Each structure stands twice: as C-alpha cells, then as structure tokens.
Amino acid sequence: MSVTVRPLGPADRDGWQALYAGYQAFYGFHDRPQGLYDSAFARLMAGDPRDFHGLVAEADGALVGLTHFVFHPNLWRPEGVCYLQDLFTAEGARGRGVARALIEAVYARADAAGVPAVYWLTAEDNYPGRMLYDRVAVRSPFIRYNRPT
C-alpha cells in the first residue's frame, strides 16, 4: 500500500469524521455529539498557528489515518514542544506503515518549526500501538494523573 501524508483539507470532512469517530470509539467514547466533530474540524481548518493542526494519510484515494498535533510553550524548552494528541489508523490499514508515516510527518513539521521535542500519550493496553512507538520514540517514565470529574 502506498501512503501519502498531507494536510487535512476542507474536502476531507466526511472521511476525517469517520476516522475521528473511529478514534473516539477505540478509546471507549461512542455516540459523540455532532457538535464535537463540527467544533474540532472548524478549529483544524482555522489555520491558527497556536491551535491544532491536522494531517491525513491517504491510500488508493481513501483516507486511512489521521493525526492532530499542537505546538505549545514549555518552560524547560524555550523553543516549545509539540504534542501529538490524536493518532488513528483505519482498521483495514493497520500494520501497513500508516501510523509510522503520520508520526514521521509530525516529526518533520516539528523540525521545520524548530521544535524538535514531540510527545504523546497512549493507553497502557494499546499493545499494537506501543510496539510501533517503542521503535520510533523513547518511552517516558512519567505517570499521568487526571482531576476527577
């Protein structure tokens, strides 16, 4: 499978939403309100350099993966850091280099912006993803805590 990674564009709305809904479901969030997708897509299309950016992976004319990332300040790194928030590959395209291509594209964007530090989180039980991440990144020793809601 030949994969092309490119910026998310307005014409990608339907394919992007299908992938993003798949991502949400992968992490146990089903039946998300349409407003969540509308808002997220509008932010991705706004072109605000301080907000999220979107890339998609395309193969054979169909979207097969997506990633969303944001550059933000960091007190330890004056150049800032890049947070890769969302990464998803369609089920039928997994194991074919889509996620790796998306991660490498984010790395390239970060390098071009002069922000070499890129980080992300994943679920502890995301074993297939973690096998890739162990090859393309260094695992952090940090444990994440969330405020209870």
Side-chain angles (χ1 to χ4, degrees), residues 63-79:
L63 297 186
V64 294
L66 63 75
T67 188
H68 306 138
F69 59 99
V70 65
F71 297 104
H72 68 84
N74 184 292
L75 291 175
W76 294 7
R77 294 180 173 270
E79 69 278 10

Side-chain angles (χ1 to χ4, degrees), residues 51-108:
D51 205 350
F52 283 89
H53 307 273
L55 299 174
V56 289
E58 189 172 30
D60 301 321
L63 297 186
V64 294
L66 63 75
T67 188
H68 306 138
F69 59 99
V70 65
F71 297 104
H72 68 84
N74 184 292
L75 291 175
W76 294 7
R77 294 180 173 270
E79 69 278 10
V81 296
C82 177
Y83 174 48
L84 191 163
Q85 178 171 301
D86 305 321
L87 177 68
F88 184 73
T89 300
E91 190 171 345
R94 292 184 187 150
R96 298 181 178 197
V98 174
R100 178 187 288 268
L102 286 163
I103 292 168
E104 289 174 353
V106 172
Y107 284 176

Side-chain angles (χ1 to χ4, degrees), residues 2-16:
S2 175
V3 176
T4 301
V5 175
R6 61 173 175 76
L8 177 68
D12 298 321
R13 174 57 195 255
D14 292 341
W16 168 87

